[in-house]
Amino acid sequence: MVAAEDSWTRPLGATGLQVSAVAAGGSPLAGMPWLYGYDVPFERAVATVLAVLRGPISLIDTANAYGDGESERRIGEALRRAGGLPDGVVVATKVDPRGRDYSAARVRASVAESRDRLGLDHLPLVQLHDPESFAFEEIAGPGGAVEELVALRDAGEIGAIGIAGGPVQEMARYVELGVFDVLLVHNRWTLLDRSAGPLIADAVGRGMGVLNAAVYGGGILAAAPGTSASYAYQAAAQETLDRVDAMHLICAAHGTDLATAALHFSLRDPQVTSTVVGLSRPERVAATVEAAQVELPDELWPELEALLPPERVWLDAPFEH
Ligand SMILES: NC(=O)c1ccc[n+]([C@@H]2O[C@H](COP(=O)([O-])OP(=O)(O)OC[C@H]3O[C@@H](n4cnc5c(N)ncnc54)[C@H](OP(=O)(O)O)[C@@H]3O)[C@@H](O)[C@H]2O)c1
């Protein structure tokens, strides 16, 4: 299913869920200074989620493991203060292992923990989170985590299921199983990295919903010039940093800023159902929605494209299907 480019709310693949073009990413909400370089106090996170619930963003993405459950707890607290889940809002979460346990039993326990923290009886979208540090055969084999997620969905205990992670070769193996409704990929379909091209095309061809996460590369593309040196939570190559500096200048010359361009890179791609942006400040919500509505000049795109870093500095080598 290809999302209509000009509609804010669109179907998420064949899940039956409707989601907004921009989704609120719940990872920074947990307060994880080792990942983002700053802490987020509880009340600021709750206020951010309340701001989301009052606005047009209708998809919130979180995970069992973000801050050891803190992201889900904070979202759950905001939902309670809002008097429950507003109509049309989708809270998507992910199952996570506990230590080296990513068994079927752990999947059930993870779902139960998420329900409890979020205060939601029904989880409309549950994604298998970051399976790449486990053997594919263990996770996707008989009696494994994938089989359990499929069984939970088919029994109606959870809604749709997705695969959420990074390394594209490994994600492709999960997509090829043909059992997932949604693909979430991060940091690999941005102004700086296109490793996920064939993966996303494959998911779209299968009718899956596509969530493109971390279009700011974890912050660098939204930060003021010269204030961030990491991409995807790790040190960026000097070549990449130089290109970011040049991109800032091009955006300024076109009367916009790099954050807006980085967001629109994903928004303008009809393959992407929703673009997942990490937010942990209430004022970011309206600013992001406003940025999503800005019209950018067509001439901007070839100029930014000319600065795309070479494949050798992308997170993953692209692959052929
Ligand atoms: N494996 C997975 O499933 C996976 C992996 C990565 C990401 N994700 C999902 O995707 C979401 C997005 O990824 P991400 O949060 O890591 O990275 P991101 O969206 O690329 O960047 C988020 C960072 O950008 C900052 N930011 C956002 N808008 C800004 C603006 N207008 N000006 C300045 N700074 C701005 C945020 O700051 P503030 O915190 O100050 O608002 C935050 O530090 C995550 O939250 C998560 O839901 C999933």
Side-chain angles (χ1 to χ4, degrees), residues 66-235:
Y66 290 159
D68 201 17
E70 201 53 23
S71 172
E72 290 184 329
R73 273 183 220 105
R74 293 171 176 198
I75 294 167
E77 176 61 19
L79 292 175
R80 273 183 286 279
R81 289 191 201 174
L85 188 69
D87 274 354
V89 173
V90 173
V91 179
T93 193
K94 313 188 187 82
V95 289
D96 278 290
R98 179 131 307 218
R100 293 304 297 169
D101 178 8
Y102 216 157
S103 61
R106 173 57 204 154
V107 166
R108 286 194 301 279
S110 182
V111 166
E113 288 163 8
S114 295
R115 265 194 203 121
D116 191 41
R117 293 172 189 147
L118 292 165
L120 296 174
D121 293 337
H122 179 69
L123 300 178
L125 171 59
V126 178
Q127 302 169 88
L128 183 77
H129 197 194
D130 292 348
E132 61 263 18
S133 54
F134 290 78
F136 178 79
E137 294 69 23
E138 178 189 342
I139 303 297
V146 171
E147 203 177 271
E148 187 60 29
L149 262 188
V150 171
L152 288 172
R153 175 190 60 192
D154 293 352
E157 291 194 36
I158 57 177
I161 62 173
I163 175 72
V168 293
Q169 304 270 13
E170 194 65 1
M171 290 305 109
R173 299 179 80 188
Y174 284 93
V175 166
E176 281 162 14
L177 292 172
V179 300
F180 291 103
D181 308 303
V182 172
L183 166 72
L184 181 151
V185 68
H186 65 89
N187 289 291
R188 289 162 174 82
W189 194 242
T190 72
L191 285 178
L192 297 176
D193 191 305
R194 304 292 158 78
S195 322
L199 175 66
I200 290 175
D202 186 24
V204 170
R206 292 168 186 273
M208 295 170 70
V210 174
L211 305 179
N212 187 28
V215 289
Y216 303 139
I220 185 171
L221 289 168
T227 59
S228 172
S230 69
Y231 183 80
Y233 330 108
Q234 53 192 291

Side-chain angles (χ1 to χ4, degrees), residues 25 27 36 38 61 66 130 186 213-214 216-218 222 233 278 280-281 284:
S27 165
Y36 293 97
Y38 55 89
D61 176 71
Y66 290 159
D130 292 348
H186 65 89
Y216 303 139
Y233 330 108
S280 71
R281 297 171 187 277
R284 286 260 197 270

